[in-house]
Amino acid sequence: MVRWFVFLALCLTLTGCAQGQTDEDVGGTDFATCPPVDVSVGEDPNVTSITSAAVNWLSSLDEGTTQRVRYCLGDPEMHSWTNVPGKRSGGIELRELTKEQQQLAWNLVTMFMSESGTAKARLIANEITQTARATPLGSHTVALFGDPRQDGAWGFQLDGHHLALNFLVQESDIILAPAFIGTQPLSVNGQAPLIDEARLGRDLIQVFTEEERNLAKQDALIGRDVIVGSGRGHLDRGRTYDVSQFDGVGVRIASLSNRSANVVNDLIDEYINNLAEPFAGRVRATVDESIEEGFVVYDTRNEDIYYRVFVPNRMLIEYNDVSSDHVHTIFRLLGDESFSDYGAYATSGSAPRTIAEHYSTSPHHQIALSVSQTKRSTARSN
């Protein structure tokens, strides 16, 4: 008995155990212990529809499944997504749910994402997974953070082999970051989930001027995976990676020719537009604030390529041909506000400003956005 009380006292000092987790009961939360979420419920009809889809899915789960799938917003489990098969301990695999519950979960994913983003996710989780046979069909994990029934901020994750999507609702805003998307094989039945990401990367290398190519070229990046990905374990080690070392490396976006700038803008759109509108447009507008401070890097080896688009304190994109039939990509949002991976909720109990509030109230944003949109429009017409 004494040992039990000692264990309990120790357990309560550890986040996972305090959230109701033990070695025999991984996942779940004592929701009474969750800190209050000081974010108003958004009135955006798009958010309302997505929230309804989340509530419908949550309502379909029995109490035991709910305990396994739900966590407090900001729980360390938010960082425990992985693209490595069999590494995640929390959440619940789709194949453990009923067909109806699986469909409701996918309905939620579909509402978060654009049509093209949804097509990529479904193709990777189903046909690509089935063909690769590296992990069982239905082994991708889902987890929910916070309470969409009453809170203005909550998160949802779908992750597993070659697919890790981190969605965060913040009042009237939604972000998708980080987002890891990969594929092996590259295509199934003529469908290739990352064909546009690959094509745009090769187009960019081709349209670079000789000077741009010399500045952007870096060596020994092919086949080493994306640098700021999830690593080989179950934790998102990229969350604490010092990305400042990318600043000043490569060719500056502000110095690119119109042709090169056009392809860079199309490439950024390809990644951001995995998220549904109007949220993708808001994210893009915020990236545009600092786009000219960004840098582009690439590497080639035979037919394989690597590229990186880095905008300090805003965004990181990486693409890597790990092998001839194996691609990894990562998209991250950088910064200290809600415009960042996991928002501010994974590290702070305070409510950050939403993206909408940021760009609607900041004079410098309005100026930067106007200038950026004018430049993009001019570049596309040339």
Side-chain angles (χ1 to χ4, degrees):
M1 182 67 68
V2 173
R3 289 183 178 179
W4 167 249
F5 282 115
V6 171
F7 167 77
L8 181 60
L10 177 62
C11 179
L12 291 173
T13 67
L14 303 175
T15 302
C17 192
Q19 300 289 356
Q21 299 177 9
T22 69
D23 289 340
E24 296 164 350
D25 182 21
V26 176
T29 298
D30 177 1
F31 303 119
T33 68
C34 292
V37 178
D38 188 20
V39 178
S40 301
V41 175
E43 298 181 356
D44 186 304
N46 299 284
V47 174
T48 300
S49 296
I50 291 171
T51 299
S52 295
V55 171
N56 287 341
W57 174 64
L58 188 60
S59 300
S60 74
L61 308 179
D62 59 35
E63 183 177 354
T65 304
T66 301
Q67 286 291 326
R68 292 181 60 190
V69 80
R70 268 197 62 198
Y71 297 85
C72 297
L73 185 63
D75 189 279
E77 188 65 28
M78 287 184 76
H79 311 144
S80 295
W81 64 267
T82 179
N83 67 294
V84 181
K87 287 290 185 178
R88 183 161 190 173
S89 57
I92 190 168
E93 292 186 359
L94 286 169
R95 58 181 173 168
E96 298 181 71
L97 302 176
T98 67
K99 294 295 185 183
E100 178 187 4
Q101 292 164 346
Q102 290 180 42
Q103 185 58 55
L104 289 171
W106 274 112
N107 287 348
L108 178 55
V109 173
T110 298
M111 297 192 70
F112 273 123
M113 303 187 79
S114 65
E115 183 177 349
S116 61
T118 299
K120 295 174 190 177
R122 284 189 173 276
L123 183 59
I124 292 166
N126 294 296
E127 288 89 341
I128 295 290
T129 293
Q130 193 167 25
T131 300
R133 297 184 179 180
T135 187
L137 194 63
S139 60
H140 287 78
T141 296
V142 287
L144 184 72
F145 299 87
D147 191 347
R149 295 170 295 192
Q150 65 181 28
D151 296 336
W154 53 275
F156 178 79
Q157 291 179 353
L158 168 68
D159 77 290
H161 195 214
H162 282 152
L163 188 66
L165 306 174
N166 293 269
F167 302 99
L168 180 64
V169 175
Q170 302 173 100
E171 194 172 339
S172 295
D173 292 322
I174 293 176
I175 59 173
L176 168 53
F180 182 106
I181 302 179
T183 183
Q184 185 184 35
L186 299 183
S187 65
V188 172
N189 298 326
Q191 301 179 82
L194 296 176
I195 188 171
D196 291 323
E197 290 83 347
R199 174 184 56 80
L200 287 167
R202 291 180 170 85
D203 286 350
L204 180 60
I205 295 170
Q206 288 297 315
V207 301
F208 273 150
T209 65
E210 183 176 357
E211 180 181 5
E212 291 169 348
R213 189 173 292 111
N214 289 337
L215 289 170
K217 180 68 169 67
Q218 300 289 308
D219 296 326
L221 294 175
I222 298 293
R224 295 176 54 188
D225 206 346
V226 289
I227 299 172
V228 195
S230 65
R232 296 186 177 277
H234 73 288
L235 293 176
D236 175 19
R237 292 187 293 179
R239 182 176 63 94
T240 56
Y241 190 90
D242 181 14
V243 296
S244 65
Q245 61 190 282
F246 297 150
D247 198 2
V249 179
V251 61
R252 184 181 288 273
I253 292 175
S255 70
L256 292 174
S257 67
N258 285 340
R259 291 185 66 199
S260 298
N262 280 341
V263 180
V264 168
N265 278 310
D266 288 345
L267 190 150
I268 293 173
D269 282 342
E270 183 63 35
Y271 284 83
I272 291 179
N273 289 341
N274 286 322
L275 183 64
E277 290 291 359
F279 313 109
R282 296 175 187 173
V283 173
R284 178 66 211 237
T286 314
V287 170
D288 280 345
E289 282 188 1
S290 306
I291 187 73
E292 294 192 347
E293 299 173 15
F295 292 84
V296 180
V297 159
Y298 83 95
D299 188 17
T300 59
R301 185 180 65 193
N302 299 324
E303 298 299 317
D304 297 333
I305 66 169
Y306 168 93
Y307 62 78
R308 179 175 73 230
V309 182
F310 172 68
V311 179
N313 297 313
R314 280 295 181 255
M315 182 199 70
L316 173 71
I317 290 171
E318 286 188 90
Y319 171 106
N320 204 335
D321 283 323
V322 180
S323 63
S324 60
D325 68 338
H326 192 176
V327 173
H328 285 179
T329 72
I330 187 75
F331 173 82
R332 290 183 176 274
L333 294 177
L334 313 172
D336 298 326
E337 301 180 25
S338 58
F339 178 76
S340 60
D341 292 350
Y342 314 107
Y345 303 102
T347 56
S348 170
S350 62
R353 289 189 301 164
T354 63
I355 299 173
E357 181 183 0
H358 171 72
Y359 75 71
S360 66
T361 60
S362 300
H364 78 274
H365 180 89
Q366 296 302 312
I367 295 172
L369 177 57
S370 177
V371 171
S372 177
Q373 288 178 333
T374 300
K375 288 185 176 181
R376 289 177 65 195
S377 178
T378 302
R380 290 177 186 276
S381 64
N382 291 335

